């Protein structure tokens, strides 16, 4: 059976509301409104048949109020205001029953007190429920104060009306209480069921997360052991190889093969050292600490590492950072950034110039690494200048190496950003920008 017409006056309120409990309140409001229209129609017919002129006028007036209320809801009357109005109408019915005609104290009148109290609590919450419960009982105290006898036997309904009329009045109130309990307990159970399902889902997810955490911890320990092994078993032999080939190259300056091996071992050792420092920092997961450092001195240290390779490529290093330029940052991480940028510049440049300079602005300090190499692919420049740490699938990692990826990530750790742009005449200039 299609009962969608019941929601017709509150379609706008139901569309705007997402809360399950509030939807139940709106549905109670609409259902009780239709119930009141039906019961009023029956009461009018019965009162007319029984010649109760006063009651016909009273119920007719109430029906007019209900019709206006119906269209006010349809036009978008706020459902909370509508519940307040409905409760006040019930209170007026109590007052009119007790004071507008004799023997108005009966079971039907008492039922309205119960309806107001339950509707106040369910529809508007504990604060308004308490207020309206006390407000609804007030006319009964006034009724007794004015000297009306209540008696021990409370009549079922108004005196002089038929049993059918009393039955309609009682059934109206019974069905109204039924609607309140039906909709609200349905919403409560739906909410509880949804919460139970969500709790089970979260419990399952938590168990999975705990299992994943254990696996990650195990993998983390394994990676730390592997890293320590690499540091001991690879870094130490590389240092020995670098030192040995370096001595051989000095003893035999005319042998290009030995010089090439020396340069390669030197380069490989420092690359591995740099990569291990970066990886160890990540695995230690320590907080990045900032201290004051001399930028000119740090640049000189990095130039010294690549000096032999620069000479073999015909490159010159130029440190134009003035002495005494102090920057508050992490020495180890900034060293990794400079190492990779100078290394990249030296690799791509032949018989050119690699310069590190700086610019001091009001809000920023720029540390700039320039080269006179072939320049940088526009797509790589775009990625370097973006906030993305990892290059997109359209970029070939072999075209720029691991160094730039490390620089991108480490820059974020030291609160710096990168800006790549073409050098003035040839090559590329990469700025590491620090906020003051």
């Amino acid at each position: 059976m299609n009962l969608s017409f019941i929601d017709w006056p509150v379609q706008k309120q139901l569309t705007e509301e997402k809360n399950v409990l509030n939807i139940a309140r709106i549905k109670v409001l609409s259902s009780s409104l239709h119930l009141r229209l039906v019961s009023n129609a029956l009461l009018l017919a019965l009162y007319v048949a029984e010649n109760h002129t006063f009651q016909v006028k009273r119920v007719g007036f109430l029906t007019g109020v209900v019709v206006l209320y119906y269209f006010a809801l349809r036009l978008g009357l706020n459902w909370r205001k509508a519940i307040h109005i409905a409760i006040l109408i019930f209170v007026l019915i109590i007052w009119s029953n007790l004071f507008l005609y004799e023997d108005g104290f009966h079971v039907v009148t008492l039922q309205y007190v119960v309806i107001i109290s339950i509707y106040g609590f369910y529809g508007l919450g504990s604060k308004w429920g308490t207020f309206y419960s006390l407000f609804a009982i007030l006319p009964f105290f006034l009724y007794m104060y004015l000297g009306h006898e209540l008696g021990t036997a409370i009549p079922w309904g108004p005196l002089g009306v038929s049993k059918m009329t009393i039955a309609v009045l009682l059934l109206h109130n019974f069905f109204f209480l039924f609607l309140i309990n039906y909709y609200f307990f349905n919403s409560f159970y739906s909410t509880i069921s949804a919460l139970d399902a969500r709790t089970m889902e979260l419990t399952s997810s938590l168990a999975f997360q705990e299992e994943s955490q254990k696996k990650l911890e195990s993998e983390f320990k394994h990676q730390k052991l592997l890293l320590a092994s690499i540091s001991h078993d690879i870094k130490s032999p590389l240092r020995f190889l670098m030192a040995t080939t370096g001595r051989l190259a000095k003893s035999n300056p005319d042998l290009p093969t030995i010089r090439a091996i020396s340069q390669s071992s030197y380069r490989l050792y420092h690359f591995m050292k740099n990569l291990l420092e970066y990886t160890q920092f990540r695995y230690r997961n320590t907080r990045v600490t900032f201290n004051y450092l001399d930028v000119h001195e740090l640049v000189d240290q990095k130039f010294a590492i690549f000096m032999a390779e620069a000479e073999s490529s015909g490159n010159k290093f130029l440190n134009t950072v003035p002495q005494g330029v102090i920057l508050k940052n992490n020495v180890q991480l900034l060293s990794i950034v400079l190492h990779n940028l100078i290394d990249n510049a030296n690799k791509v440049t032949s018989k050119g110039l690699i310069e590190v300079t700086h610019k001091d602005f009001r809000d920023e300090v720029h540390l700039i690494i320039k080269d006179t190499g072939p320049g940088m692919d526009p797509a790589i420049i775009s990625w370097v200048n973006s906030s993305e740490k990892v290059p997109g699938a359209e970029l070939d990692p072999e075209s720029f190496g691991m160094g730039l990826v490390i620089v991108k990530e480490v820059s974020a750790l030291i609160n710096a950003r990168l800006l790549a742009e073409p050098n003035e005449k040839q090559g590329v200039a990469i700025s590491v920008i620090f906020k003051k």
Side-chain angles (χ1 to χ4, degrees), residues 233-249 258-270:
D233 297 340
I234 295 180
K235 188 177 174 184
S236 297
L238 280 176
R239 185 189 299 115
F240 174 77
L241 179 62
M242 178 188 67
T244 303
T245 56
R247 286 194 296 269
L248 286 172
I258 293 178
R259 189 168 64 252
I261 293 172
S262 174
Q263 291 172 355
S264 296
S265 61
Y266 186 86
R267 176 179 174 75
L268 182 59
Y269 168 75
H270 282 287

Side-chain angles (χ1 to χ4, degrees), residues 89 215 221 245 248 305 307 322 354 378:
I89 290 173
K215 290 180 180 179
K221 291 177 182 177
T245 56
L248 286 172
I305 293 173
M307 189 61 70
I354 291 93

Side-chain angles (χ1 to χ4, degrees), residues 317-343:
F317 285 145
L318 181 61
N319 182 1
T320 57
V321 178
Q323 292 185 351
V325 173
I326 304 299
L327 183 66
K328 189 175 183 181
N329 212 279
N330 185 278
V331 178
Q332 182 184 4
L333 294 180
L334 181 55
S335 178
I336 291 172
V337 171
L338 283 175
H339 182 104
N340 282 282
L341 291 177
I342 293 171
D343 185 21

Side-chain angles (χ1 to χ4, degrees), residues 337 341 365-369 411 416-418 430-434:
V337 171
L341 291 177
V365 173
H366 292 211
L367 191 57
I368 309 164
I369 297 87
S411 296
R417 64 184 178 87
L418 300 177
I430 298 181
S431 301
V432 186
I433 302 171
F434 305 90

Side-chain angles (χ1 to χ4, degrees), residues 22 25 79-80 83 87 118-125 180 184:
N22 290 342
R25 287 167 168 157
W79 62 267
R80 288 186 177 84
I83 291 176
I87 291 175
I118 293 176
Y119 205 17
F121 277 105
Y122 281 2
L124 299 170
I180 292 175
F184 279 98

Side-chain angles (χ1 to χ4, degrees), residues 284-304:
R284 282 200 301 269
N285 197 25
T286 55
R287 188 170 63 88
V288 179
T289 57
F290 293 85
N291 298 297
Y292 290 101
L293 57 94
D294 189 315
V295 180
H296 180 89
E297 183 180 337
L298 184 61
V299 172
D300 273 350
Q301 291 173 8
K302 291 303 164 184
F303 277 169

Side-chain angles (χ1 to χ4, degrees), residues 27-231:
K27 284 183 174 291
V28 168
L29 187 66
S30 181
S31 299
S32 62
L33 181 60
H34 286 88
L35 179 64
R36 171 56 69 181
L37 287 171
V38 172
S39 63
N40 275 12
L42 290 173
L43 287 173
L44 274 174
L46 291 169
Y47 283 140
V48 168
E50 296 168 6
N51 292 319
H52 287 290
T53 306
F54 176 75
Q55 292 288 13
V56 169
K57 292 179 180 178
R58 185 164 172 258
V59 174
F61 175 77
L62 181 59
T63 302
V65 172
V66 172
V67 170
L68 289 174
Y69 185 84
Y70 187 97
F71 285 103
L73 276 176
R74 177 63 186 175
L75 293 174
L77 176 66
N78 179 270
W79 62 267
R80 288 186 177 84
K81 292 180 180 178
I83 291 176
H84 281 289
I85 294 171
I87 291 175
L88 291 174
I89 290 173
F90 293 143
V91 171
L92 286 174
I93 291 173
I94 292 174
W95 281 85
S96 63
N97 280 358
L98 292 177
F99 298 105
L100 289 185
Y101 62 92
E102 295 181 3
D103 302 316
F105 181 77
H106 44 69
V107 172
V108 173
T109 306
L110 288 173
Q111 276 185 323
Y112 279 112
V113 178
V114 179
I115 289 173
I116 290 169
S117 179
I118 293 176
Y119 205 17
F121 277 105
Y122 281 2
L124 299 170
S126 57
K127 177 183 174 182
W128 283 109
T130 302
F131 172 78
Y132 280 125
S133 296
L134 297 174
F135 189 57
I137 204 72
L138 179 63
F140 290 93
F141 285 105
L142 182 61
Y143 186 78
M144 290 185 292
Y145 177 77
L146 293 176
H148 292 90
E149 293 291 334
L150 299 181
T152 55
I154 302 176
W156 285 99
L159 295 178
V161 299
S162 66
K163 293 180 179 180
M164 179 63 71
T165 304
I166 294 175
V168 170
L169 290 168
L170 293 173
L171 285 173
H172 167 269
N173 293 342
F174 167 77
F175 281 119
F176 187 73
L177 292 173
F178 171 81
L179 286 172
I180 292 175
N181 286 289
Y182 174 80
Y183 280 111
F184 279 98
F185 277 95
N186 256 5
S187 67
F188 292 151
Y189 288 138
S190 297
T191 304
I192 291 170
S193 297
L195 288 174
D196 286 343
R198 184 63 176 161
T199 301
M200 291 177 65
E201 182 183 342
L202 289 174
T203 303
S204 175
S205 178
L206 183 60
F208 176 77
Q209 291 293 336
E210 288 175 349
E211 183 66 25
S212 299
Q213 181 69 21
K214 290 178 182 178
K215 290 180 180 179
L216 285 173
E217 288 175 358
S218 176
E219 183 66 21
F220 181 72
K221 291 177 182 177
H222 175 74
Q223 294 290 347
K224 286 181 72 177
L225 291 172
L226 182 61
L227 185 60
S229 175
I230 291 173
S231 182

Side-chain angles (χ1 to χ4, degrees), residues 7 10-18 23 26-27:
D7 294 334
V10 291
Q11 282 178 347
K12 184 176 181 181
Q13 292 87 336
L14 287 174
T15 303
E16 294 173 351
E17 188 59 60
K18 304 300 179 185
I23 290 173
I26 295 169
K27 284 183 174 291

